[in-house]
Amino acid sequence: MLRRASMLLARRPILAARARPFSTDLPAAPSADATFTEAWTKVIPNMDPPKTPLSFMQPRPPTPSSIPSKLTVNFVLPYASELATKEVDMVIVPATTGQMGVLPGHVATIAELKPGVLSVHEGSEVTKYFVSSGFVFIHANSFADIIAVEAVPLDRLDVNLVQKGLAEFTSKLSSATTDLEKAEAQIGIDVHSALNSALTG
């Protein structure tokens, strides 16, 4: 029994060497889709093939051998880019599983965001945003991509309007008759409750 266990343990490094890369790792250089380009040229020879999303992305640097001192953050909304390749010390995101702190060298992770406060720490400065929802993609090379549906700097929110909105959605929930009205009111309550706790707590 012990001989078999020691043989299995001795083979473990071989298995680790064959491990698949994380899905968040991008190749250092984008690979062109030669098959698509060739097929396009056969069908429509007088028109350039369309560009794929990969052709607009800059290749990520490879994963460093040692942990970098800074985390590089991209924070984007559907209509704007709040932070583009900004080097920071730490980011705290409101994940659905709880508050998640991201430092340089964090393990590759994908997390869904819930309504809450996103904090960007750079030295002694802390910038706070309220995000409604979205995703965070943490890459093994100390890059983090934060994609939010909506985000507002915390200092631009009015606590009185937030409390008024919370009261309105609470009243809508109590008078709702259909499942759709109840769901819409509950979403409004969840967002306004998160806004209220971000401003008052």
Side-chain angles (χ1 to χ4, degrees):
M1 182 79 167
L2 288 175
R3 285 184 197 160
R4 186 175 173 101
S6 62
M7 286 174 31
L8 289 173
L9 287 173
R11 288 187 359 200
R12 185 166 290 242
I14 297 168
L15 295 174
R18 286 188 275 169
R20 288 183 15 209
F22 285 108
S23 62
T24 58
D25 290 343
L26 289 176
S31 57
D33 190 351
T35 309
F36 173 76
T37 306
E38 185 180 317
W40 179 275
T41 313
K42 285 180 184 175
V43 176
I44 310 171
N46 58 346
M47 187 184 291
D48 291 334
K51 295 197 181 287
T52 62
L54 195 57
S55 62
F56 295 102
M57 295 173 66
Q58 294 180 352
R60 292 206 183 282
T63 304
S65 57
S66 62
I67 296 175
S69 61
K70 296 284 185 178
L71 174 73
T72 305
V73 176
N74 296 306
F75 178 29
V76 294
L77 307 171
Y79 53 86
S81 175
E82 290 291 323
L83 302 173
T85 59
K86 176 122 174 131
E87 290 191 344
V88 300
D89 296 319
M90 177 176 68
V91 177
I92 300 174
V93 296
T96 53
T97 54
Q99 292 290 97
M100 184 168 73
V102 182
L103 293 165
H106 195 286
V107 67
T109 307
I110 299 173
E112 184 181 1
L113 301 178
K114 67 177 182 179
V117 178
L118 177 136
S119 305
V120 180
H121 298 255
E122 187 179 5
S124 60
E125 289 183 29
V126 179
T127 309
K128 294 185 178 185
Y129 298 88
F130 182 83
V131 294
S132 62
S133 62
F135 288 90
V136 59
F137 300 89
I138 303 162
H139 307 278
N141 56 2
S142 291
F143 271 71
D145 296 322
I146 303 166
I147 295 98
V149 174
E150 189 63 62
V152 180
L154 213 55
D155 56 2
R156 291 181 48 202
L157 296 172
D158 184 349
V159 69
N160 295 325
L161 290 176
V162 169
Q163 290 173 349
K164 181 181 174 187
L166 181 59
E168 286 176 10
F169 279 108
T170 305
S171 143
K172 283 182 183 178
L173 182 62
S174 60
S175 63
T177 55
T178 67
D179 287 342
L180 178 63
E181 290 174 347
K182 289 176 184 175
E184 287 175 345
Q186 187 60 53
I187 290 169
I189 288 172
D190 292 347
V191 171
H192 281 80
S193 296
L195 278 165
N196 192 41
S197 64
L199 291 170
T200 59

